[in-house]
Amino acid sequence: MDLTYVAAFVDGEGCIVIGKTKKWNPRQKKRYLCTTIRMEVCNTDFDIINDIHKFMGIGHIVDIKPRKTEKGTETKPQKRWQTTHRQTHEVLKQILPYMREKNKREKAKEVMDFYKERDRE
């Protein structure tokens, strides 16, 4: 396993999300705008997901239960390797040079720019 393999897997099977969401602050009793950053990779081959998690040494694994399809059959169970916020930033710093898929590269650069700007403050 190497960074090129992880980058290719994120390109093909992954998802990078950066967006704004409103969160509730119970102390101040009001909502505030919060940036949400997440990266995940799902697959039915549990060994691959476990190997990526072990190799990167960051994030966590979530079990995805089978779902019913429109045809009444069940999907296969899946595992999801997921990172959030700074974890996502740390992984993307390592794999961005090897990523090829245009939209995911753009999302990765958004995450990098977000933390570059934030760390400047």
Side-chain angles (χ1 to χ4, degrees):
M1 174 107 15
D2 60 16
L3 293 175
T4 307
Y5 184 86
V6 175
F9 219 81
V10 170
D11 275 345
E13 301 289 330
C15 174
I16 301 169
V17 177
I18 180 169
K20 300 282 186 185
T21 186
K22 286 189 175 184
K23 293 214 173 178
W24 176 253
N25 183 328
R27 280 192 179 157
Q28 296 179 344
K29 296 186 181 4
K30 66 178 185 179
R31 294 194 180 279
Y32 65 98
L33 206 55
C34 178
T35 301
T36 300
I37 297 172
R38 185 179 76 247
M39 182 180 72
E40 54 190 44
V41 178
C42 294
N43 203 281
T44 57
D45 187 332
F46 296 175
D47 290 339
I48 291 174
I49 298 299
N50 289 330
D51 288 348
I52 290 173
H53 179 242
K54 185 176 178 181
F55 176 76
M56 296 306 295
I58 198 166
H60 62 277
I61 294 179
V62 177
D63 292 320
I64 309 296
K65 294 179 182 176
R67 297 182 306 269
K68 296 273 187 195
T69 65
E70 291 177 12
K71 297 177 183 176
T73 60
E74 277 193 354
T75 60
K76 290 183 178 180
Q78 298 180 15
K79 284 207 181 265
R80 175 189 296 151
W81 172 57
Q82 185 171 309
T83 62
T84 57
H85 304 287
R86 288 278 182 185
Q87 293 176 338
T88 301
H89 180 242
E90 290 303 313
V91 171
L92 291 175
K93 276 195 303 192
Q94 295 178 59
I95 68 171
L96 181 58
Y98 306 104
M99 292 176 71
R100 309 269 318 249
E101 206 276 313
K102 182 182 174 186
N103 293 330
K104 290 194 180 106
R105 284 184 59 81
E106 288 174 6
K107 283 289 185 185
K109 287 177 183 176
E110 279 184 57
V111 171
M112 302 304 283
D113 291 344
F114 173 80
Y115 282 110
K116 186 177 182 181
E117 187 66 32
R118 185 175 181 162
D119 291 344
R120 212 180 287 170
E121 296 173 356

